[in-house]
Amino acid sequence: MPKDKKVLIGVILAVLAASVFVIFNPFRFTAEITPDTQGYSPTNVPRAVPTYVEAPEEKYTFSSLVRQVKAGEVISLHVIENRVTVETADGKWSSTSFGSGDLIERLISLGVSEEQLANLEITYSIPPPFWLLPFILVAGSFIVFAVMVRRSSGTSGPLSFGKSHAKEVSDGQLITTFEDVAGLIEAKEELMEVVEFLKNPERFTALGARIPKGVILFGLPGCGKTLLARAVAGEAEVPFFPISGSEFVEMFVGVGASRIRDLFTKAKEAAPCILFIDELDAVGGRRSGFGMPSAREHDQTLNQLLSEMDGFDQQTNVIVIGATNRLDVLDPALLRSGRFDRRIAVDRPDVRAREAIFEVHVKGKPLSDDVDLSKLARATPGLTGADIENIVNEAAILTARHGRKVIGNTEFEDAALKVVAGPERKSRVISEEEKRKIAYHEVGHALAMHFTKGSDPVHKISIISRGLALGFTMPLPEEDRNLPSYEWLVGQIVGLLGGRAAEEIVLGKKGITTGASNDLERATDYARRMVTEWGMSEKVGLRSLNPLPDAAVMENQFRDTRSYSDHLAETIDAEVKRILDEAYDQAKEILASRRDILKKVVERLLEVETLDRKEFLTLVS
Ligand code: ATP
């Protein structure tokens, strides 16, 4: 359970417990007032007096009280409404009712002298105001409710939870333009149209063209969706309202819908403008139709979003840009024409785009001459724009830490390694023997890659532990591979199995370690996909045996999601095993016939801990 919820439940329970205690508390004490008239109280010291006393052995009546007062046995009297509690000199407490009227007057009328009364301490209490309790409970509940809403919505006032938290970012603050977005050429071209529309809507409306209402940017996190949306607003010089879809996710039915209404009202007032909903899937996921309160809240919020978008007319001039990593989970109604009907893929950058992103982010930073951004771009396949921004930032931090004035190639390479493989863990204790095993494993990868046709060139080998890895071998592909070939895939598997092959060759079957677990996982994944997705096994043929996507699996959760026979399943297993076995034999063959090279590279690696491509090539040639 989240910590916030625990605190909340704790507060509610505490309020309830306190209320129950106040109402039923058998030990309650009353507020005490001492009359300042007539001088009946000799001490005037307020004391707590129990209003609940044990039953006396014989019935204590008002006459008993009068008798005891006259006999001088009473020390104090404590009065609450028409009841008096009596404390006698022998330390006993008794209690009796004296009916209506004033106690003192009644005692005097029954023959108690003023002198006898003067020796007593008489105090009066007002009963606790029980009639206030309902008010206290209501006020307490309101405070708890307000705290709850404030916690869940982050708003400052208990009454503002139905309002959206989108803050307008306008003119002066919008300094992002398409120039700041590197790569993503097609996405920018598509969005240029939106910019045009925001700048000159008449050009389109004069021709009767329907203006786009919504655009969805979809793709992996960190690839520049938010950046693109900001750039559209910057280019069109219109206000920008960014909000995250998760801000509409509430536990109270109707709050999300009311926030949507408020957001669209704000946007319409500021039109022309861009309304940017990040994490659109949080608010736009498929409607379930189930009656759970959370599902009802979600459905209501989404319905509100749909109807607000339908409410746009030709004059509205508000464009809604949504961003999501999961296009497949969005409700189909959101994607139909007239709503988010433009879908733009924002994909991982290719090698040229990565170089361009490096260029955008190094702008204004002092670089040394040895920095080669195109090489860095090649060394970072699969990384996103956010990763690259991170590398540049890390490189600048490292430079400052080294006390240098310009960022050099070493800092960039170290920063890239840190982002790709995690930070160095120099403090990790590794014995000499283990270090040697790691070195054999890594050089095994490197040699298997180097001597397999179609494999990527080796860029770096290291036995410095980083993140969870004890060592790594980094390839440097010449270019991004959009269409991996059979040869390349086999080369990848041979390279991955090279580590285990080296261990077996040098340490024997009994000396192999667990270090290959991640390699085996990746190699198996390649082999399985070669057989089931890419039609690369003759025995299985060209059938696509793709597993169902997540959403389909969810919908078919009680059905068998496999669409092939047990016999074919066995063939698939056998084929995956065959590909792995053949690749492993190939890796062993490469290494067994080059044991001298393997040893030479390992010795050097143990000396320097990290080998770059140049030195590696010298050693293997
Ligand atoms: P999420 O899905 O997590 O919201 P996103 O796709 O919206 O991610 P952004 O927030 O736009 O990603 O990108 C994060 C950062 O990465 C940006 O602030 C920017 O510095 C950098 N970045 C990403 N892509 C690019 C790019 N194409 N050009 C320049 N910088 C980029």
Side-chain angles (χ1 to χ4, degrees), residues 156-179:
S156 51
L159 296 177
S160 62
F161 56 85
K163 302 257 184 265
S164 99
H165 313 137
K167 286 224 170 65
E168 180 186 331
V169 185
S170 54
D171 288 335
Q173 295 159 277
L174 273 178
I175 38 163
T176 313
T177 63
F178 281 154
E179 239 184 65

Side-chain angles (χ1 to χ4, degrees), residues 180-182 184 220-227 278 325 357 360-361 385-386 389:
D180 302 303
V181 187
L184 298 172
L220 292 169
C223 287
K225 298 183 289 295
T226 312
L227 188 71
D278 203 358
N325 309 323
I357 298 175
V360 164
H361 290 288
E389 185 200 9

Side-chain angles (χ1 to χ4, degrees), residues 384-400:
T384 63
D387 295 328
I388 293 174
E389 185 200 9
N390 198 4
I391 291 178
V392 175
N393 189 43
E394 284 291 340
I397 292 173
L398 278 176
T399 310

Side-chain angles (χ1 to χ4, degrees), residues 274-296:
I274 298 240
L275 208 163
F276 176 63
I277 307 179
D278 203 358
E279 295 174 54
L280 184 65
D281 40 295
V283 64
R286 278 165 206 272
R287 281 166 291 186
S288 63
F290 299 138
M292 302 280 289
S294 59
R296 274 215 310 273

